[in-house]
Amino acid sequence: FNLDASNPEEYGGYYGWGCIEPYSTTDNVDWELYFKMIGGSGNSESDCGKDKDPLASIAMSQGVKNISGSKWDAAHVKLGGKWRMPTVAEWEELKAKCILSNNTSNSKYYICTSNNGNSIILPTAGFHNSDGEGGQGSFYYWSSSSYTNDDPKYAAYYKGTKIGMYSSRRYIGCPIRPVWDDNMPEPTEIKAVDLGLPSGTKWANINLGASTIEEPGDYYGWGCVEPYSTTEYVDWPIYFQKLGKTGTAGWDNKKCGTGDDPLKDYVNYDNPMSIDGTKYDAAHEKCGGNWHIPTKSDWDELIKNCTWTWQGTGYKVTNNVNGNYIFLPAGGKHFGGITDKGGNTGYYWCASPIQNDPNNVRAIYENATCLYFNSGNLILFDYNYLDYGLRCKGFTIRPVMK
């Protein structure tokens, strides 16, 4: 079947390249909608390959890269296991090894038959663009591969009665035919890496919600144990909803530290407390055991005792004695309606709230400590950097344990 279909002849969903949810039949499909669905802030093709494009590092690659098996692969995300989108090479193999025939009078599908006698049906579902659905009578299927001309607007897809590769703008909605890959590696499991730190603290090998060391994982508000979705508009009302409050429409930062704030005891001005190991600690709730969100002192220790080397999309953090390392991807942040600057900057939560700021009493209520970095800077934000660590912002989390 096609992805989202319930029988071999159904068209299934129409997906933008890298979208994990399909367009609806009433959507006006364009760049603005596409970027919203992948969590970017762009609205035109000129934004492709830039900071506003979460897929920039793939789309701007020299030569062909692909999203197969990644968090941008709708087949893998929705079906799990070893299901994924097919690459260009796999479509070419299908083209070379199978015979395509149309033995139906209404041309609703083609039959693709192998020399072992087995066959699949490829519905002629067409595509979905700004004019609605079109092209029915022929088939259009995404591959997982970027296009070979290194233009970030395009990805490779297959169409026609003879199966051929073409380039299409990434926002166009096409069906997806999943493939099962016995050789696909199992997702990376969370493991404790001993970096030889004086406190004995061990750091996780991956971010919370990630399946590989390069993925940023999920984006959490401070104290939230469920992540924001890529389509949620992140602000104070949705933040308080994530904290378990109902009827939060119209709520803003003035609710922080009040009786309506579930975290009021932790951001108490006179005695602020860390959330590590509590019911507001996403790492502890999701991973169990002794896993927890790192405190400010945990981050301080990591910075002072390890060598940080920028490697294009994040930092390799290596112990100076035993040589063990972790990789901290620059996953950016989720705030407003976008995921911002993935691949260039990193924002990681600390479990520690802001300490007393004599110049701004409200700062401790609204902010929490976080690590910020880019290729040239490492900063632990506290009250000297107000608004960088607003509790409602969606940052990544790297669990630690002792």
Coordinates of all heavy atoms in Angstrom, one line a residue, residues 308-389:
W308 N 35.8 21.0 23.8 CA 34.6 21.2 22.9 C 35.1 21.5 21.5 O 35.8 22.6 21.3 CB 33.7 22.3 23.4 CG 33.1 21.9 24.7 CD1 33.7 21.6 25.9 CD2 31.7 21.9 25.0 NE1 32.7 21.4 26.9 CE2 31.5 21.5 26.3 CE3 30.5 22.1 24.2 CZ2 30.2 21.4 26.9 CZ3 29.3 22.0 24.7 CH2 29.1 21.6 26.1
T309 N 34.8 20.7 20.5 CA 35.3 20.9 19.1 C 34.0 20.9 18.2 O 33.2 20.0 18.1 CB 36.1 19.7 18.7 OG1 37.2 19.5 19.6 CG2 36.7 20.0 17.3
W310 N 33.9 22.1 17.5 CA 32.8 22.3 16.6 C 33.0 21.4 15.4 O 34.0 21.3 14.8 CB 32.7 23.7 16.2 CG 31.5 24.0 15.3 CD1 31.5 24.2 13.9 CD2 30.1 24.1 15.7 NE1 30.3 24.4 13.5 CE2 29.4 24.4 14.5 CE3 29.5 24.1 16.9 CZ2 28.0 24.6 14.6 CZ3 28.1 24.3 16.9 CH2 27.4 24.5 15.8
Q311 N 31.9 20.6 15.1 CA 32.0 19.7 13.9 C 30.8 19.9 12.9 O 30.1 19.0 12.6 CB 32.0 18.3 14.4 CG 33.3 17.9 15.2 CD 33.5 16.4 15.3 OE1 32.6 15.6 15.3 NE2 34.8 16.0 15.4
G312 N 30.6 21.1 12.6 CA 29.6 21.5 11.5 C 28.2 21.6 11.9 O 27.5 22.6 11.6
T313 N 27.6 20.7 12.7 CA 26.2 20.8 13.2 C 26.1 20.6 14.7 O 25.1 20.3 15.2 CB 25.4 19.7 12.5 OG1 25.9 18.4 12.7 CG2 25.3 19.9 11.0
G314 N 27.3 20.8 15.4 CA 27.2 20.6 16.8 C 28.6 20.5 17.4 O 29.6 20.6 16.6
Y315 N 28.7 20.2 18.7 CA 30.0 20.1 19.3 C 30.3 18.6 19.7 O 29.4 17.9 20.3 CB 30.0 20.9 20.6 CG 30.4 22.3 20.4 CD1 29.5 23.3 20.4 CD2 31.8 22.7 20.3 CE1 29.8 24.7 20.2 CE2 32.1 24.0 20.1 CZ 31.2 25.0 20.1 OH 31.6 26.3 19.9
K316 N 31.5 18.2 19.4 CA 32.0 16.9 20.0 C 32.7 17.3 21.3 O 33.6 18.1 21.3 CB 33.0 16.3 19.0 CG 33.6 15.0 19.5 CD 34.6 14.4 18.5 CE 35.2 13.1 19.0 NZ 36.2 12.5 18.1
V317 N 32.2 16.7 22.4 CA 32.7 17.0 23.7 C 33.5 15.8 24.2 O 33.0 14.8 24.5 CB 31.5 17.3 24.6 CG1 32.0 17.8 26.0 CG2 30.6 18.4 24.1
T318 N 34.8 16.0 24.3 CA 35.7 14.9 24.6 C 36.4 15.1 25.9 O 36.9 16.1 26.3 CB 36.8 14.8 23.5 OG1 36.2 14.8 22.2 CG2 37.7 13.6 23.7
N319 N 36.4 14.0 26.7 CA 37.2 14.0 28.0 C 38.7 14.1 27.7 O 39.2 13.4 26.8 CB 36.8 12.7 28.8 CG 37.6 12.7 30.1 OD1 38.6 12.0 30.2 ND2 37.2 13.4 31.1
N320 N 39.3 14.9 28.5 CA 40.8 15.1 28.3 C 41.6 14.0 28.8 O 42.8 14.0 28.5 CB 41.2 16.4 29.0 CG 40.4 17.6 28.4 OD1 40.1 17.7 27.3 ND2 40.2 18.6 29.3
V321 N 41.1 13.0 29.5 CA 41.8 11.9 30.1 C 41.6 10.6 29.4 O 42.5 10.0 28.9 CB 41.6 11.8 31.6 CG1 42.4 10.6 32.2 CG2 42.0 13.1 32.3
N322 N 40.3 10.2 29.4 CA 40.0 8.9 28.9 C 39.6 8.8 27.4 O 39.4 7.8 26.9 CB 38.9 8.2 29.8 CG 37.5 8.9 29.7 OD1 37.3 9.7 28.8 ND2 36.7 8.6 30.7
G323 N 39.4 10.0 26.8 CA 39.1 10.1 25.4 C 37.7 9.8 25.0 O 37.3 9.9 23.8
N324 N 36.8 9.5 26.0 CA 35.4 9.3 25.7 C 34.8 10.6 25.3 O 35.2 11.7 25.7 CB 34.7 8.7 26.9 CG 35.1 7.2 27.2 OD1 35.7 6.6 26.3 ND2 34.8 6.8 28.4
Y325 N 33.7 10.5 24.5 CA 33.1 11.8 24.0 C 31.6 11.6 23.8 O 31.1 10.5 23.7 CB 33.7 12.2 22.7 CG 33.4 11.3 21.5 CD1 32.3 11.6 20.7 CD2 34.2 10.2 21.2 CE1 32.0 10.7 19.6 CE2 33.9 9.4 20.1 CZ 32.8 9.7 19.3 OH 32.5 8.9 18.3
I326 N 30.9 12.7 23.8 CA 29.5 12.8 23.3 C 29.4 13.8 22.3 O 30.3 14.7 22.1 CB 28.5 13.1 24.5 CG1 28.9 14.5 25.1 CG2 28.5 12.0 25.5 CD1 27.9 15.0 26.2
F327 N 28.3 13.8 21.5 CA 28.1 14.8 20.5 C 26.8 15.6 20.8 O 25.8 15.0 21.1 CB 27.9 14.2 19.1 CG 27.7 15.2 18.0 CD1 28.8 16.0 17.5 CD2 26.5 15.4 17.4 CE1 28.6 17.0 16.5 CE2 26.2 16.4 16.5 CZ 27.3 17.1 16.0
L328 N 26.9 16.9 20.9 CA 25.7 17.8 21.2 C 25.3 18.5 20.0 O 25.9 19.5 19.6 CB 26.1 18.8 22.3 CG 26.4 18.2 23.7 CD1 26.9 19.3 24.6 CD2 25.2 17.5 24.3
P329 N 24.2 18.0 19.3 CA 23.8 18.6 18.1 C 23.2 20.0 18.3 O 22.6 20.3 19.4 CB 22.7 17.7 17.5 CG 22.2 16.9 18.7 CD 23.4 16.8 19.6
A330 N 23.4 20.9 17.4 CA 22.9 22.3 17.4 C 21.5 22.2 16.9 O 21.2 22.5 15.7 CB 23.8 23.2 16.6
G331 N 20.5 21.9 17.7 CA 19.1 21.7 17.3 C 18.3 23.0 17.3 O 17.1 22.9 17.0
G332 N 18.9 24.1 17.7 CA 18.1 25.3 17.8 C 17.0 25.3 18.8 O 17.2 24.6 19.9
K333 N 16.0 26.0 18.6 CA 14.9 26.1 19.6 C 13.5 26.1 18.9 O 13.5 26.4 17.7 CB 15.0 27.3 20.5 CG 14.9 28.7 19.7 CD 15.1 29.8 20.6 CE 14.9 31.2 19.9 NZ 16.0 31.4 18.9
H334 N 12.5 25.9 19.6 CA 11.1 26.0 19.1 C 10.4 27.1 19.9 O 10.2 26.9 21.1 CB 10.4 24.6 19.2 CG 9.1 24.6 18.5 ND1 8.4 23.4 18.2 CD2 8.4 25.5 17.9 CE1 7.3 23.7 17.6 NE2 7.3 25.0 17.3
F335 N 10.1 28.1 19.2 CA 9.4 29.3 19.8 C 8.5 30.0 18.8 O 8.9 30.1 17.6 CB 10.4 30.2 20.4 CG 9.8 31.3 21.2 CD1 9.0 31.0 22.3 CD2 10.1 32.7 21.0 CE1 8.4 32.0 23.1 CE2 9.5 33.7 21.7 CZ 8.7 33.4 22.8
G336 N 7.3 30.4 19.2 CA 6.4 30.9 18.2 C 5.9 29.7 17.3 O 5.7 28.6 17.8
G337 N 5.9 29.9 16.1 CA 5.4 28.8 15.2 C 6.5 28.1 14.5 O 6.3 27.4 13.5
I338 N 7.8 28.3 14.9 CA 8.9 27.8 14.1 C 9.9 27.1 15.0 O 10.0 27.3 16.2 CB 9.6 28.9 13.3 CG1 10.2 29.9 14.3 CG2 8.7 29.6 12.4 CD1 11.1 30.9 13.7
T339 N 10.7 26.2 14.4 CA 11.9 25.7 14.9 C 13.1 26.5 14.3 O 13.2 26.4 13.1 CB 12.1 24.2 14.7 OG1 11.0 23.5 15.2 CG2 13.4 23.7 15.3
D340 N 13.8 27.2 15.1 CA 14.7 28.2 14.6 C 16.2 27.8 14.6 O 16.7 27.3 15.7 CB 14.5 29.5 15.4 CG 15.4 30.7 15.0 OD1 15.5 30.8 13.7 OD2 15.9 31.4 15.8
K341 N 16.9 28.0 13.5 CA 18.4 27.9 13.4 C 18.9 26.5 13.8 O 20.0 26.4 14.4 CB 19.0 28.9 14.3 CG 18.8 30.4 13.8 CD 19.6 31.3 14.7 CE 19.4 32.8 14.2 NZ 19.9 33.0 12.9
G342 N 18.1 25.5 13.5 CA 18.7 24.1 13.7 C 20.0 23.9 12.8 O 20.0 24.3 11.7
G343 N 21.0 23.4 13.4 CA 22.3 23.2 12.8 C 23.3 24.3 13.0 O 24.5 24.1 12.7
N344 N 22.8 25.4 13.5 CA 23.8 26.5 13.7 C 23.9 26.9 15.2 O 25.0 27.3 15.7 CB 23.3 27.8 13.0 CG 23.2 27.5 11.5 OD1 24.2 27.1 10.9 ND2 22.1 27.8 10.9
T345 N 22.8 26.8 16.0 CA 22.9 27.1 17.4 C 22.2 26.0 18.2 O 21.3 25.3 17.7 CB 22.1 28.4 17.7 OG1 20.8 28.3 17.2 CG2 22.8 29.6 17.0
G346 N 22.6 25.9 19.4 CA 22.1 24.9 20.3 C 21.5 25.6 21.6 O 22.2 26.5 22.1
Y347 N 20.4 25.1 22.1 CA 19.8 25.6 23.3 C 19.4 24.3 24.1 O 18.6 23.5 23.7 CB 18.6 26.4 23.1 CG 18.8 27.7 22.4 CD1 18.9 27.8 21.0 CD2 18.9 28.9 23.1 CE1 19.1 29.0 20.3 CE2 19.0 30.1 22.4 CZ 19.1 30.1 21.0 OH 19.3 31.3 20.4
Y348 N 20.0 24.2 25.3 CA 19.8 23.0 26.2 C 19.4 23.5 27.6 O 20.0 24.3 28.2 CB 21.1 22.2 26.3 CG 21.4 21.3 25.1 CD1 22.0 21.9 24.0 CD2 21.1 20.0 25.1 CE1 22.3 21.1 22.8 CE2 21.4 19.2 23.9 CZ 22.0 19.8 22.8 OH 22.2 19.0 21.7
W349 N 18.3 22.8 28.1 CA 17.8 23.2 29.4 C 18.7 22.7 30.5 O 19.3 21.6 30.4 CB 16.4 22.6 29.6 CG 15.3 23.4 29.1 CD1 14.3 23.0 28.2 CD2 15.0 24.8 29.3 NE1 13.4 24.0 27.9 CE2 13.8 25.1 28.5 CE3 15.7 25.8 30.0 CZ2 13.3 26.4 28.5 CZ3 15.1 27.1 29.9 CH2 14.0 27.4 29.2
C350 N 18.8 23.5 31.5 CA 19.3 23.1 32.8 C 18.1 22.9 33.7 O 17.1 23.5 33.6 CB 20.2 24.2 33.5 SG 21.6 24.6 32.5
A351 N 18.3 22.0 34.7 CA 17.2 21.8 35.7 C 17.1 23.0 36.7 O 16.1 23.1 37.4 CB 17.5 20.5 36.5
S352 N 18.1 23.9 36.7 CA 18.2 24.9 37.7 C 17.4 26.2 37.2 O 17.5 26.6 36.1 CB 19.7 25.3 37.9 OG 20.5 24.2 38.1
P353 N 16.6 26.7 38.2 CA 16.0 28.0 37.9 C 17.0 29.2 37.9 O 18.2 29.0 38.3 CB 15.0 28.1 39.0 CG 15.6 27.4 40.1 CD 16.4 26.3 39.5
I354 N 16.6 30.3 37.6 CA 17.4 31.5 37.7 C 17.6 31.9 39.2 O 16.6 31.8 39.9 CB 16.8 32.7 37.0 CG1 16.7 32.4 35.5 CG2 17.6 34.0 37.2 CD1 18.0 32.3 34.8
Q355 N 18.8 32.2 39.6 CA 19.0 32.6 41.0 C 18.6 34.0 41.2 O 18.4 34.7 40.2 CB 20.5 32.4 41.3 CG 20.9 30.9 41.2 CD 20.1 30.0 42.1 OE1 20.0 30.2 43.3 NE2 19.6 28.9 41.5
N356 N 18.5 34.4 42.4 CA 18.1 35.8 42.7 C 18.7 36.9 41.9 O 20.0 36.9 41.9 CB 18.3 36.1 44.2 CG 17.4 35.2 45.1 OD1 16.6 34.4 44.6 ND2 17.6 35.3 46.4
D357 N 17.9 37.7 41.3 CA 18.4 38.8 40.6 C 18.0 40.1 41.3 O 16.8 40.4 41.2 CB 17.9 38.8 39.1 CG 18.3 40.0 38.3 OD1 19.2 40.8 38.8 OD2 17.8 40.2 37.2
P358 N 18.8 40.8 41.9 CA 18.4 42.0 42.7 C 17.8 43.1 41.8 O 17.1 44.0 42.3 CB 19.7 42.4 43.4 CG 20.8 41.9 42.6 CD 20.3 40.6 42.0
N359 N 18.1 43.0 40.5 CA 17.7 44.1 39.6 C 16.4 43.8 38.9 O 15.8 44.7 38.2 CB 18.8 44.4 38.6 CG 20.1 44.8 39.2 OD1 20.1 45.7 40.1 ND2 21.2 44.2 38.8
N360 N 15.9 42.6 39.0 CA 14.7 42.2 38.2 C 14.1 41.0 39.0 O 14.4 39.9 38.8 CB 15.0 41.8 36.8 CG 13.8 41.6 35.9 OD1 12.7 41.4 36.5 ND2 14.0 41.7 34.6
V361 N 13.1 41.4 39.9 CA 12.5 40.4 40.7 C 11.8 39.3 39.9 O 11.7 38.1 40.2 CB 11.6 41.0 41.7 CG1 10.8 40.0 42.6 CG2 12.4 41.9 42.7
R362 N 11.2 39.7 38.8 CA 10.3 38.8 38.0 C 11.2 37.8 37.2 O 10.7 36.8 36.7 CB 9.4 39.6 37.1 CG 8.3 40.3 37.8 CD 7.1 40.4 36.9 NE 6.6 39.1 36.4 CZ 5.9 38.3 37.2 NH1 5.5 38.6 38.4 NH2 5.5 37.1 36.7
A363 N 12.5 38.1 37.1 CA 13.3 37.3 36.2 C 13.3 35.8 36.6 O 13.2 34.9 35.8 CB 14.7 37.8 36.2
I364 N 13.3 35.6 37.9 CA 13.4 34.2 38.4 C 12.1 33.4 38.1 O 12.0 32.2 38.0 CB 13.7 34.1 39.9 CG1 14.0 32.7 40.3 CG2 12.6 34.7 40.8 CD1 14.6 32.6 41.7
Y365 N 11.0 34.2 38.1 CA 9.7 33.5 37.8 C 9.5 33.1 36.4 O 8.9 32.1 36.0 CB 8.5 34.5 38.1 CG 8.5 35.0 39.6 CD1 8.1 36.2 39.9 CD2 8.9 34.2 40.6 CE1 8.0 36.7 41.2 CE2 8.9 34.6 41.9 CZ 8.5 35.9 42.2 OH 8.4 36.3 43.5
E366 N 10.1 33.9 35.4 CA 9.8 33.7 34.0 C 10.9 32.9 33.3 O 10.7 32.4 32.2 CB 9.7 35.1 33.3 CG 8.6 35.9 33.9 CD 8.6 37.4 33.4 OE1 9.4 37.6 32.5 OE2 7.9 38.2 33.9
N367 N 12.1 32.8 33.9 CA 13.2 32.2 33.2 C 13.8 31.0 33.9 O 13.5 30.8 35.1 CB 14.4 33.3 33.0 CG 14.0 34.4 32.1 OD1 14.4 34.3 30.9 ND2 13.3 35.4 32.6
A368 N 14.6 30.2 33.2 CA 15.4 29.2 33.8 C 16.7 29.2 33.1 O 16.9 29.8 32.1 CB 14.7 27.8 33.6
T369 N 17.7 28.5 33.8 CA 19.0 28.5 33.2 C 19.1 27.6 32.0 O 18.5 26.5 32.0 CB 20.0 28.1 34.3 OG1 19.9 28.9 35.5 CG2 21.5 28.2 33.8
C370 N 19.9 27.9 31.0 CA 20.1 27.1 29.9 C 21.5 27.3 29.3 O 22.2 28.3 29.6 CB 19.0 27.4 28.8 SG 19.2 29.1 28.1
L371 N 21.9 26.3 28.5 CA 23.2 26.4 27.8 C 22.8 26.9 26.4 O 22.0 26.3 25.7 CB 23.9 25.0 27.7 CG 25.1 25.0 26.9 CD1 26.3 25.7 27.6 CD2 25.5 23.6 26.5
Y372 N 23.6 27.9 25.9 CA 23.5 28.3 24.5 C 24.9 28.2 23.9 O 25.9 28.4 24.5 CB 23.1 29.8 24.5 CG 23.4 30.4 23.1 CD1 22.5 30.3 22.1 CD2 24.6 31.1 22.9 CE1 22.8 30.9 20.8 CE2 24.9 31.7 21.7 CZ 24.0 31.6 20.7 OH 24.2 32.1 19.4
F373 N 24.9 27.7 22.6 CA 26.1 27.7 21.9 C 25.9 27.9 20.4 O 24.9 27.6 19.9 CB 26.9 26.4 22.2 CG 26.3 25.1 21.7 CD1 26.1 24.8 20.4 CD2 25.9 24.2 22.7 CE1 25.5 23.6 20.0 CE2 25.3 23.0 22.3 CZ 25.1 22.7 20.9
N374 N 27.0 28.4 19.8 CA 27.2 28.3 18.3 C 28.6 27.9 18.1 O 29.3 27.4 19.0 CB 26.8 29.6 17.7 CG 27.6 30.8 18.2 OD1 28.7 30.7 18.6 ND2 27.0 32.0 18.2
S375 N 29.1 28.1 16.9 CA 30.4 27.6 16.5 C 31.5 28.3 17.3 O 32.7 27.8 17.4 CB 30.7 27.6 15.0 OG 30.6 29.0 14.6
G376 N 31.2 29.4 17.9 CA 32.3 30.2 18.5 C 32.0 30.5 20.0 O 32.9 31.2 20.6
N377 N 30.9 30.2 20.5 CA 30.5 30.6 21.9 C 29.9 29.4 22.7 O 29.1 28.6 22.1 CB 29.5 31.7 21.8 CG 30.1 33.0 21.2 OD1 30.9 33.7 21.9 ND2 29.7 33.3 20.0
L378 N 30.2 29.4 24.0 CA 29.5 28.6 24.9 C 29.1 29.5 26.1 O 29.9 30.0 26.8 CB 30.4 27.5 25.5 CG 30.7 26.3 24.6 CD1 31.9 25.5 25.2 CD2 29.5 25.4 24.4
I379 N 27.8 29.6 26.3 CA 27.3 30.5 27.4 C 26.2 29.8 28.2 O 25.3 29.2 27.7 CB 26.7 31.8 26.8 CG1 27.8 32.5 26.0 CG2 26.2 32.7 28.0 CD1 27.2 33.7 25.2
L380 N 26.4 29.8 29.5 CA 25.3 29.3 30.4 C 24.5 30.6 30.8 O 25.0 31.4 31.5 CB 25.9 28.7 31.7 CG 26.2 27.2 31.6 CD1 26.9 26.7 32.8 CD2 24.9 26.4 31.5
F381 N 23.3 30.6 30.2 CA 22.5 31.8 30.5 C 21.9 31.8 31.9 O 21.3 30.8 32.3 CB 21.4 31.9 29.4 CG 21.8 32.3 28.1 CD1 21.5 31.6 26.9 CD2 22.6 33.5 27.9 CE1 21.9 32.0 25.7 CE2 23.0 33.9 26.7 CZ 22.6 33.2 25.5
D382 N 22.0 32.9 32.6 CA 21.4 33.1 33.8 C 20.7 34.5 33.8 O 20.4 35.0 32.7 CB 22.3 32.9 35.0 CG 23.6 33.8 34.9 OD1 23.5 34.8 34.1 OD2 24.6 33.5 35.5
Y383 N 20.6 35.1 34.9 CA 19.9 36.4 34.9 C 20.6 37.5 34.2 O 20.0 38.6 33.9 CB 19.5 36.8 36.4 CG 20.7 37.2 37.2 CD1 21.3 38.5 37.1 CD2 21.1 36.4 38.2 CE1 22.4 38.8 37.9 CE2 22.2 36.7 39.1 CZ 22.8 38.0 38.9 OH 23.9 38.3 39.7
N384 N 21.8 37.3 33.8 CA 22.5 38.3 33.0 C 22.1 38.3 31.5 O 22.4 39.2 30.8 CB 24.0 38.1 33.1 CG 24.6 38.4 34.4 OD1 24.2 39.5 35.0 ND2 25.4 37.5 35.0
Y385 N 21.3 37.3 31.1 CA 20.9 37.1 29.8 C 19.3 36.8 29.8 O 18.9 35.8 29.4 CB 21.6 35.9 29.1 CG 23.1 36.1 29.0 CD1 23.9 35.6 30.1 CD2 23.7 36.7 28.0 CE1 25.3 35.8 30.0 CE2 25.0 36.9 27.9 CZ 25.8 36.4 28.9 OH 27.2 36.6 28.8
L386 N 18.6 37.8 30.3 CA 17.2 37.6 30.4 C 16.5 37.4 29.0 O 16.9 38.0 28.0 CB 16.5 38.8 31.1 CG 17.0 39.0 32.5 CD1 16.3 40.2 33.1 CD2 16.8 37.8 33.4
D387 N 15.4 36.6 29.0 CA 14.6 36.3 27.9 C 15.2 35.3 27.0 O 14.5 34.7 26.1 CB 14.3 37.6 27.0 CG 13.4 38.6 27.8 OD1 12.7 38.1 28.7 OD2 13.5 39.8 27.5
Y388 N 16.5 34.9 27.1 CA 17.0 33.8 26.3 C 16.5 32.5 26.9 O 16.2 31.6 26.1 CB 18.6 33.8 26.4 CG 19.2 34.8 25.5 CD1 19.6 36.0 25.9 CD2 19.5 34.4 24.2 CE1 20.2 36.9 25.1 CE2 20.1 35.3 23.3 CZ 20.5 36.6 23.8 OH 21.1 37.5 22.9
G389 N 16.3 32.4 28.2 CA 15.8 31.2 28.8 C 14.4 31.3 29.3 O 14.1 30.7 30.4

